[in-house]
Amino acid sequence: FWSMEADIISTVEFNHTGELLATGDKGGRVVIFQREPESKNAPHSQGEYDVYSTFQSHEPEFDYLKSLEIEEKINKIKWLPQQNAAHSLLSTNDKTIKLWKITERDKRPEGYNLKDEEGKLKDLSTVTSLQVPVLKPMDLMVEVSPRRVFANGHTYHINSISVNSDCETYMSADDLRINLWHLAITDRSFNIVDIKPANMEDLTEVITASEFHPHHCNLFVYSSSKGSLRLCDMRAAALCDKHSKLFEEPEDPSNRSFFSRSSPPFWDLNMEARPIETYQVHDYLRSKLCSLYENDCIFDKFECAWNGSDSVIMTGAYNNFFRMFDRNTKRDVTLEASRESSKPRAVLKPRRVCVGGKRRRDDISVDSLDFTKKILHTAWHPAENIIAIAATNNLYIFQDKVNSEMH
């Protein structure tokens, strides 16, 4: 028996080519989807993703020293750049990171001299001649095998992992520390950031995410619960507690609230003074802050995703809405991921949330929003306008039409 809670998708990630898409859920499973090649009979089928492999990545554990249950929920998945025919990915729950190898087999050897068809050794006295074994076609088998287990590196819950551009190392971050690992070494890691104060009562912020620079292996950035970003250079010191650059918006006292982080700022690495762009994502929820606080929605984290050219940003919202902001045209659109509006080939209609006053025909009132339906995790194909939307326990994949409408 598998509960609805275990089916809730907790992370979504395309690989570097976009041909594979991995999701992790609260039940500790990883499901990999593969993009179907375009066929002459069905030219519109390209972009459709079918299940490629499913495996159990993590199991529930118990920390006997701290008397704590460790959930099997997959917090993050990161693909490694492909080096050969096999694919590799990292998956993590709150405490343990695992490296998985995904391989294909579509041929099997036949005609052994010393073994029979079942693999048992033959009686050598019956072997009177030698033959050359041959490879025969067979139904495709996708095999997933654990290659490494990176455990005991974190006291607090892991919130992010990031693979370095050197393809040899990766880092993992929890609330107070960031560790650097070598992909071939499981029994030790190097602590590169530690913001834990001597007295925990002095704690004012926690680490929320960390990410390596896409090209420079010595640079990484991490964000905090205060909305600030710190850029660090591993060439400067072994412990990167002193950042190279700090990107932080001065807080407006008149606008301060639990929901003041609902507008993501975008920074230029060469300009720390102020963000170059800011987008209002959840502005219509200001009248709902009290109810959001009471039902703990105030702590929801809506991830952002870039398109391949960094010209459009996407993030989720409540009521199974997701929003896109075009950085060039300054236009934005709100769309809905639901079974009713997501029939194959159907064009998604823009949605609009009405705060008060006059309502258009298709507007939805802010009082009608369902806060139990939320899109926290999204991913964008690295090269094409194909997006993956995780809406609770459903995965929606939308692709751009020729006339640039989403469907």
Side-chain angles (χ1 to χ4, degrees), residues 281-287 317-318 321 323 353 355 366 369:
V281 180
H282 298 292
D283 218 31
Y284 51 79
L285 293 175
R286 293 197 178 277
S287 62
Y318 294 109
F321 286 173
R323 305 196 67 193
V353 179
V355 179
V366 69
L369 294 176

Side-chain angles (χ1 to χ4, degrees), residues 363-402:
D363 284 0
I364 182 168
S365 167
V366 69
D367 297 317
S368 305
L369 294 176
D370 187 344
F371 294 121
T372 63
K373 293 179 178 178
K374 57 190 86 169
I375 292 174
L376 303 177
H377 312 287
T378 63
W380 206 308
H381 189 288
E384 299 178 40
N385 277 340
I386 297 174
I387 57 173
I389 306 288
T392 319
N393 58 342
N394 294 311
L395 178 70
Y396 296 92
I397 297 175
F398 301 109
Q399 113 183 64
D400 206 6
K401 284 184 75 176
V402 179

